[in-house]
Amino acid sequence: MPTHSWRDALKIYSSPASIALLLLGFAAGLPYMLVFSTLSVWLRESGVDLKTIAFASLIGLTYAFKWVWSPLLDQWRLPILGRLGRRRSWLVLSQSLVAIGLAGMALCDPKESLSMLISLAVLVAFASATQDVAVDAYRLEIAENESQAALAATYMAGYRIAALFATAGALYFADWFGASSPTYQYSAWAGTYLLFAMLMMPAIICSLLIREPNVPEKTQQAAMSFGIKHQLISVIVLIVLLISVPAMFTQFYRSDWHSLATESAGLVDLLMNDRPFLRALMYTLLTGLCLSAFGRRGLAPVLTPISDFVQRYRWQALLMLGLISTYRMSDTVMGVMANVFYIDMGFSKDQIASISKLFGLFMTLFGAGAGGLLIVRFGIMPILFLGGIASAATNLLFAMLSGMGADVQMLIVTICFDNFSSGLATTAFVAYLSSLTNLKFSATQYALLSSIMLLLPRLLGGYSGTMVERVGYADFFSLTALLGIPTLLLILLQWRRERVLASRLPDAKVLPEPEQP
């Protein structure tokens, strides 16, 4: 366990790496909010119908599948820009595309060129998701595991400030530029998006000035063992597989199986006239092709980082994946119903917004900073356990609030503790994920692990409304608190195993380190 002093722990926040991560976090938060939250307001004000706005929100799927093309960032050195280094080149490219995309959006009036505006928003989302992968890989390679939490905290601080700036701040600037007029003013939104495009410049300058991570050349060569042709084939095969598998089951479900069981010519009708069944057969063939020997060879750039993870940790990988997939379950499932709960309790929108922005933002940043400091001082596993307890326990405050009605003071207490625990837990979890990655495949492995983190909580979160309708808010929040117990047990098992290894090999690393040539 680390024995750093408090002074040593605080030094990490004044390092050049922390300042760089603060700027990179700001650059990551701007485009995310501008293509979702703020864009929806712009579209609605211009007269776009709700159905189209909801369809435009599907742009968010880009972030959910960023791990699909993350191997490119590990294994492909960009032409010309590649002279900056493997990580800096991707940062500069993605940030430049974000700035260009935002400027392009500013030149498109939804009333006249909605399709072009949406296309540019997709470009911004794709470039922003790529920037996220590049920043995570850069952070993993510039510091040791004990410093990752502090770097994650500064990144989160920049991200949260940018998120507030790109939502409430963007609406303020739009009003200032003329959007407060009773009639729709395109120039107000154009000026706003041009301003935010210019705000990407500090991040681009930062990416040009920061040092390239000092990763051994042999490690980089090992990561870039696949040619660009092979990498592009891998991305295409993976996209086809991700589309064809769910589509296959959906079309089989829609097929007319009843006629097959009741009519003598049912099979002929299925083969000749049932379009869902024919589409299901097509998707089955595509799935089979992707899983064939040819498809598996094409998926090698993605499968290699996965097999590396399994080979390094063997059976322990199951324990780690269980911990990763459940760690954020308690607060994620609860969070789906949080805003609805506030409204149902009788709080006004102004109260919710002001308390969330004022107290919520401050406490999230405070929790993240405290998490980074504590991990440098005491190590990852104790703070990971503390974050798990805090995330689950704060749900009980929501259960208490449900019996108190619209009590503003209790709302402040609840939001403060909830956001503090969220910041603390997120920072600890990022440090834990960072400790598991191999520098050869840092972009790919971290993108995959962070995707696994949200998969199960998001699926369960889809049933949160049904749970509230059946048991009520008080019992719902109590149940979400209980969801944290399995995670705490998994952390204790992992922590115990690390302490046993540390006692046997006092000079060895607790977790297997990425292979260094």
Side-chain angles (χ1 to χ4, degrees):
M1 181 179 293
T3 56
H4 299 293
S5 67
W6 288 106
R7 179 177 296 179
D8 292 335
L10 284 168
K11 282 182 181 178
I12 187 64
Y13 286 112
S14 61
S15 67
S18 293
I19 297 172
L21 264 295
L22 183 69
L23 288 173
L24 294 176
F26 187 84
L30 281 183
Y32 182 85
M33 291 301 175
L34 289 174
V35 296
F36 299 125
S37 177
T38 306
L39 179 61
S40 299
V41 178
W42 181 10
L43 293 178
R44 189 55 179 165
E45 191 170 292
S46 68
V48 176
D49 60 90
L50 294 176
K51 182 178 179 181
T52 303
I53 295 175
F55 179 75
S57 69
L58 294 177
I59 297 171
L61 292 174
T62 306
Y63 289 85
F65 291 100
K66 62 186 178 182
W67 55 273
V68 173
W69 65 88
S70 61
L72 292 175
L73 278 71
D74 278 331
Q75 301 166 10
W76 184 24
R77 185 179 293 276
L78 291 170
I80 303 177
L81 280 177
R83 297 175 182 176
L84 294 173
R86 185 167 57 142
R87 298 308 178 201
R88 290 198 302 156
S89 60
W90 280 102
L91 283 172
V92 172
L93 174 64
S94 58
Q95 291 162 353
S96 300
L97 288 176
V98 168
I100 292 171
L102 290 175
M105 291 175 67
L107 301 178
C108 297
D109 187 349
K111 283 182 173 292
E112 299 177 359
S113 50
L114 178 61
S115 59
M116 178 59 69
L117 177 65
I118 297 300
S119 299
L120 288 168
V122 171
L123 170 65
V124 171
F126 179 81
S128 176
T130 303
Q131 179 187 208
D132 290 349
V133 176
V135 171
D136 286 332
Y138 174 78
R139 173 179 54 77
L140 290 169
E141 294 175 355
I142 62 172
E144 298 296 329
N145 291 339
E146 291 80 8
S147 302
Q148 288 298 326
L151 295 182
T154 57
Y155 173 84
M156 187 187 303
Y159 192 99
R160 293 279 183 161
I161 293 171
L164 182 61
F165 205 61
T167 50
L171 298 181
Y172 168 78
F173 284 118
D175 278 348
W176 189 36
F177 290 141
S180 57
S181 172
T183 58
Y184 167 65
Q185 297 290 328
Y186 157 66
S187 59
W189 289 102
T192 300
Y193 272 72
L194 279 175
L195 174 63
F196 280 100
M198 294 173 60
L199 287 176
M200 289 298 297
M201 290 305 300
I204 296 175
I205 295 172
C206 174
S207 297
L208 290 171
L209 295 179
I210 56 178
R211 67 176 179 86
E212 179 69 10
N214 187 25
V215 178
E217 187 65 27
K218 289 185 178 180
T219 301
Q220 295 189 38
Q221 292 174 356
M224 296 185 287
S225 57
F226 298 99
I228 180 58
K229 181 179 179 181
H230 197 171
Q231 295 161 13
L232 292 176
I233 291 174
S234 172
V235 172
I236 293 171
V237 171
L238 193 55
I239 291 174
V240 171
L241 189 62
L242 289 171
I243 293 174
S244 60
V245 170
M248 175 184 65
F249 286 108
T250 301
Q251 296 304 316
F252 272 130
Y253 177 78
R254 295 179 59 191
S255 299
D256 187 11
W257 298 106
H258 180 72
S259 64
L260 180 64
T262 58
E263 301 177 13
S264 58
L267 180 59
V268 176
D269 287 339
L270 276 177
L271 293 173
M272 300 298 292
N273 301 318
D274 194 321
R275 291 185 178 181
F277 182 75
L278 294 175
R279 286 194 290 265
L281 291 180
M282 181 190 70
Y283 287 124
T284 302
L285 290 175
L286 286 174
T287 302
L289 181 62
C290 292
L291 297 178
S292 66
F294 167 78
R296 291 195 300 273
R297 285 197 299 270
L299 289 173
V302 175
L303 296 178
T304 299
I306 297 175
S307 63
D308 167 81
F309 182 84
V310 174
Q311 289 172 6
R312 281 191 294 127
Y313 297 112
R314 295 182 173 84
W315 66 268
Q316 189 187 359
L318 295 175
L319 176 64
M320 293 174 174
L321 292 176
L323 196 163
I324 292 169
S325 62
T326 60
Y327 189 75
R328 301 310 306 273
M329 188 184 302
S330 179
D331 54 348
T332 300
V333 175
M334 180 279 298
V336 174
M337 298 304 298
N339 286 330
V340 179
F341 167 70
Y342 298 147
I343 296 296
D344 288 347
M345 287 295 100
F347 294 105
S348 68
K349 294 182 180 63
D350 288 341
Q351 287 176 324
I352 298 169
S354 59
I355 293 173
S356 296
K357 290 175 182 177
L358 178 61
F359 295 99
L361 176 63
F362 175 76
M363 293 305 294
T364 298
L365 299 181
F366 183 50
L373 181 67
L374 291 171
I375 286 174
V376 174
R377 181 69 177 85
F378 298 109
I380 295 175
M381 296 308 294
I383 311 307
L384 188 71
F385 185 76
L386 178 63
I389 292 177
S391 295
T394 51
N395 289 8
L396 298 177
L397 293 176
F398 285 88
M400 294 173 58
L401 181 60
S402 67
M404 300 174 65
D407 189 317
V408 175
Q409 291 185 342
M410 186 61 186
L411 177 65
I412 293 174
V413 171
T414 301
I415 287 181
C416 284
F417 278 98
D418 181 59
N419 282 268
F420 177 84
S421 65
S422 177
L424 177 70
T426 299
T427 302
F429 195 58
V430 168
Y432 179 69
L433 291 185
S434 302
S435 70
L436 303 181
T437 57
N438 188 333
L439 292 184
K440 291 181 182 178
F441 314 106
S442 52
T444 307
Q445 289 186 350
Y446 190 87
L448 282 168
L449 292 175
S450 59
S451 297
I452 292 172
M453 168 190 71
L454 292 175
L455 180 60
L456 186 58
R458 293 292 186 192
L459 289 175
L460 287 179
Y463 296 96
S464 57
T466 303
M467 294 171 64
V468 171
E469 290 179 351
R470 291 187 176 181
V471 302
Y473 279 116
D475 289 342
F476 167 73
F477 290 127
S478 298
L479 288 173
T480 57
L482 294 177
L483 289 176
I485 294 178
T487 303
L488 297 177
L489 295 176
L490 290 171
I491 294 174
L492 288 175
L493 287 174
Q494 179 69 18
W495 193 1
R496 180 179 178 276
R497 182 181 180 280
E498 291 185 6
R499 295 183 67 176
V500 170
L501 288 176
S503 64
R504 292 177 181 174
L505 302 170
D507 297 326
K509 294 286 185 182
V510 173
L511 284 174
E513 284 293 312
E515 215 176 289
Q516 298 290 348

